[in-house]
Amino acid sequence: MLGISTILIALVVCLLILHYLKQLWSHRSYPPGPLELPIIGSIWKLGYKLSPDILIKLAKQYGNIYTLWLGPMPIVVLSGYEAVKEGLINHSEDFADRPVTPFLKVAAKEQGIVFSNGHIWKQQRKFGMVTLRKLGLGKKGMEHQIEEEAHQLVETFARAKGQPFDPSVPIINSVSNVICALAFGHRFSVEDKEFLKLLEAVDRLLKFPTTNSHSLYEISPWLMEHLPGPHRKTLACIDIIYSFVKKEIKKHQENPAVHEPQDFIDFYMFQMTKESKHDPNSTYNEENLTQCIFDLFIAGTETTSLTLRWALLHMANHPDIQEKVHKEIEDVLGSSQSLNYQDRKKLPYTHAVIHEIQRCQYILFFGLPRQSTKNVNMLGFLIPKEVIVVPDLQSVLLDPKQWKTPEAFNPNHFLDKDGRFVEREAFLPFGAGARVCLGEQLAKIELFVFFTTLMRAFTFQPPKGVKQLSTVPEVGTSLVPFPYKLCAVPRCSSS
Ligand code: HEM
């Protein structure tokens, strides 16, 4: 009896080994990568605790195009400027899709802009671009709104009276309110409980994709749907965000804009009415409207606010650079003039510092994945159709072939020998190609107006007794500074 069960066990083990070897053999045509283990694939190589530069380290070991296996799901990573440029720019259409994984199916429903594909994506993206441009025009446009928010932020910081405080919550509130004004036509008070609940839900949702619970959800959604765990809380957060957006849409439906549309919902509702009359394939409907706003919120708040949080931290750590920024602003703008985005042309050093913050302290860990639309041959590798492709933008911004001192904070990366601002090809924090960030222009205005307004008003310093604030990030979907405090010391010449 014992003999038979031993033989049976040995047989099962042999079959499992054979199955595993067959799997390895069938994956041999993919770009190389860490050894795949049964069930978990090669994510073991990422380690239990993600380090912010793990993808760059893996590229050093496996080359600038490599494969990671999330269980049975291949993920091809493009690393460094050459590979990312080849993928996103030279093969723009071949990688124009986003993947539809089990979690994304629930979170984005294949609607809206960020995680839709095909006809829906084309229509919604085009509409989004045109509408953001329209909303940016005119005195009452987006730039004016950003200036207002920046002044409110100065007032909030001033209340700390130069004492140590954590700037992150006020920054997140201000940046979120820019998107609220754009999407809903009004801002929210920081005391508004619903608004705070929304911000908490966004925060939790963005932390989820780098958790083990997320990996398990992607591998076996049917099992996870029956199990308790952090994924359930994340799904509840998605519901919170949807109901917040839906409530705002309902308010617009009850009080439609009679004359000129004022915000994203107004423009969308006009479009819905117009298109429903003559386009049977129109994708303008309430589901897509809800998802578009969800997308603008998710894509446009954390990114910009994180960049500003890192910006202040770096200014506190680099008093010499901060002093040069102060001097340039004072020399050019004086203390009485107001400030707008056009002023960046007169402030090359300040403009270079903002770019260097985005380069040196990039805020996305995995970025937004793409998916191949067909079999693609690039740089000697075959990337099969419908495979997830991750362009590692951080590796481009730190590529030693592109930047003189990639690891050091050095605004000279964006200045010529005469101190004039220079654009750099390898500066790709917003991605590139067909899916390049839709909010790039808005983000650039926000970063310039917020940063310059704050720098005009304050000198940022670490608290007494602290030499340097930590620049080691906490790794999630984004690279977040660990909670820190700094002092915003009012400048006597501030307006
Ligand atoms: C510092 C700020 C920002 C950074 C670093 C950033 C970065 C990115 C990146 C890397 C992508 C993916 C691009 C690709 O696949 O090639 C993206 C996509 C996107 N971003 Fe941004 N973003 C920022 C701000 C914003 C803002 C303010 C908005 C909205 C108002 C926005 C809306 C979007 C949307 C809708 C997409 C999806 C585009 C598509 O799939 O067609 N982003 N962003």
Side-chain angles (χ1 to χ4, degrees):
M1 223 22 220
L2 192 66
I4 290 175
S5 53
T6 312
I7 290 167
L8 275 176
I9 290 169
L11 199 68
V12 170
V13 171
C14 282
L15 283 174
L16 285 175
I17 291 174
L18 266 177
H19 174 75
Y20 172 56
L21 292 175
K22 200 174 140 213
Q23 187 175 311
L24 288 184
W25 181 250
S26 70
H27 293 169
R28 73 192 181 288
S29 60
Y30 280 85
L35 177 73
E36 270 180 81
L37 298 178
I39 303 172
I40 60 167
S42 57
I43 45 164
W44 60 272
K45 189 71 179 179
L46 298 177
Y48 181 70
K49 199 165 176 291
L50 287 171
S51 94
D53 57 351
I54 181 70
L55 296 183
I56 296 177
K57 282 190 183 140
L58 290 176
K60 282 188 186 139
Q61 206 175 340
Y62 300 101
N64 59 359
I65 303 184
Y66 61 91
T67 311
L68 286 173
W69 290 86
L70 176 59
M73 194 195 296
I75 299 174
V76 174
V77 182
L78 310 180
S79 185
Y81 178 60
E82 192 198 2
V84 171
K85 182 184 167 205
E86 183 67 15
L88 296 195
I89 299 174
N90 299 346
H91 288 271
S92 178
E93 290 304 315
D94 304 344
F95 296 116
D97 275 0
R98 298 263 186 231
V100 186
T101 63
F103 178 69
L104 289 175
K105 226 178 207 164
V106 180
K109 303 174 178 57
E110 300 177 65
Q111 307 269 313
I113 304 170
V114 180
F115 285 108
S116 62
N117 288 314
H119 184 55
I120 294 184
W121 169 66
K122 280 198 181 129
Q123 270 204 336
Q124 303 300 314
R125 181 176 167 104
K126 193 168 164 213
F127 176 82
M129 283 175 62
V130 171
T131 306
L132 286 198
R133 220 173 294 138
K134 283 185 190 159
L135 286 169
L137 295 175
K139 256 253 155 280
K140 278 197 163 177
M142 241 150 26
E143 200 178 330
H144 181 66
Q145 181 65 38
I146 297 166
E147 287 163 25
E148 286 285 318
E149 287 298 337
H151 286 298
Q152 296 239 8
L153 194 57
V154 167
E155 278 174 28
T156 310
F157 280 16
R159 271 181 234 131
K161 296 198 174 1
Q163 294 305 305
F165 74 108
D166 182 343
S168 50
V169 173
I171 292 177
I172 294 168
N173 288 340
S174 297
V175 172
S176 309
N177 260 325
V178 172
I179 300 289
C180 287
L182 175 148
F184 311 134
H186 63 95
R187 68 188 304 277
F188 288 86
S189 148
V190 288
E191 267 106 55
D192 188 316
K193 291 215 166 71
E194 289 291 301
F195 182 55
L196 293 178
K197 219 168 125 189
L198 171 79
L199 298 185
E200 264 173 49
V202 171
D203 185 53
R204 185 180 268 276
L205 174 61
L206 287 171
K207 286 194 174 123
F208 184 65
T210 43
T211 60
N212 292 333
S213 176
H214 170 256
S215 303
L216 288 174
Y217 196 96
E218 296 295 23
I219 294 169
S220 48
W222 43 269
L223 178 66
M224 293 298 276
E225 257 148 43
H226 295 96
L227 292 179
H231 61 289
R232 288 210 168 271
K233 280 204 175 127
T234 308
L235 297 176
C237 288
I238 294 172
D239 290 341
I240 290 173
I241 306 171
Y242 277 128
S243 42
F244 190 95
V245 175
K246 284 195 164 137
K247 220 160 123 187
E248 288 294 328
I249 296 175
K250 194 154 178 265
K251 277 192 218 160
H252 279 67
Q253 285 164 338
E254 284 163 5
N255 294 302
V258 267
H259 303 297
E260 285 294 293
Q262 301 289 330
D263 54 47
F264 196 91
I265 299 182
D266 283 348
F267 275 105
Y268 202 101
M269 282 169 45
F270 266 60
Q271 186 78 4
M272 257 162 78
T273 320
K274 198 172 101 192
E275 291 293 312
S276 63
K277 287 184 187 141
H278 24 72
D279 180 6
N281 294 322
S282 166
T283 63
Y284 297 105
N285 52 47
E286 215 172 301
E287 286 71 52
N288 267 317
L289 168 58
T290 311
Q291 190 63 42
C292 279
I293 296 197
F294 182 103
D295 287 355
L296 293 180
F297 219 90
I298 299 290
T301 53
E302 166 108 337
T303 46
T304 313
S305 58
L306 267 181
T307 310
L308 285 169
R309 284 158 71 186
W310 281 118
L312 301 189
L313 187 151
H314 275 283
M315 288 302 95
N317 277 355
H318 296 276
D320 48 333
I321 295 175
Q322 182 172 195
E323 206 181 309
K324 284 193 192 173
V325 172
H326 282 145
K327 185 166 179 338
E328 187 183 61
I329 296 175
E330 252 162 49
D331 288 351
V332 175
L333 300 180
S335 58
S336 54
Q337 277 185 43
S338 66
L339 154 154
N340 61 53
Y341 185 52
Q342 286 306 318
D343 291 328
R344 73 194 185 283
K345 294 177 189 155
K346 296 187 260 169
L347 298 168
Y349 190 78
T350 307
H351 199 35
V353 166
I354 296 170
H355 279 67
E356 182 61 0
I357 289 156
Q358 282 199 278
R359 184 202 70 80
C360 180
Q361 198 80 60
Y362 191 48
I363 45 110
L364 297 177
F365 174 60
F366 232 75
L368 280 177
R370 301 283 193 95
Q371 183 166 282
S372 49
T373 53
K374 60 177 195 184
N375 287 343
V376 183
N377 275 302
M378 62 174 267
L379 301 178
F381 292 104
L382 168 73
I383 301 175
K385 188 178 171 180
E386 288 173 11
V387 162
I388 298 179
V389 174
V390 168
D392 180 9
L393 297 175
Q394 192 191 25
S395 71
V396 179
L397 298 167
L398 297 177
D399 189 335
K401 288 192 204 136
Q402 300 296 325
W403 309 96
K404 209 165 170 192
T405 56
E407 300 293 335
F409 187 78
N410 174 9
N412 289 332
H413 283 133
F414 296 93
L415 294 168
D416 68 10
K417 61 178 183 1
D418 301 316
R420 281 183 298 235
F421 180 81
V422 277
E423 297 282 354
R424 299 289 309 272
E425 265 188 29
F427 182 69
L428 296 180
F430 298 100
R435 286 271 189 170
V436 66
C437 173
L438 184 100
E440 177 171 355
Q441 195 54 22
L442 172 62
K444 284 180 170 168
I445 300 175
E446 285 186 279
L447 292 178
F448 181 80
V449 173
F450 273 113
F451 181 75
T452 314
T453 307
L454 289 173
M455 293 300 283
R456 261 185 124 180
F458 303 106
T459 301
F460 292 97
Q461 295 169 350
K464 236 185 192 147
V466 178
K467 252 188 140 179
Q468 289 270 304
L469 299 168
S470 168
T471 55
V472 178
E474 188 182 353
V475 184
T477 321
S478 318
L479 299 169
V480 184
F482 278 97
Y484 69 87
K485 285 189 177 175
L486 46 60
C487 306
V489 181
R491 290 174 58 70
C492 32
S493 60
S494 66
S495 54

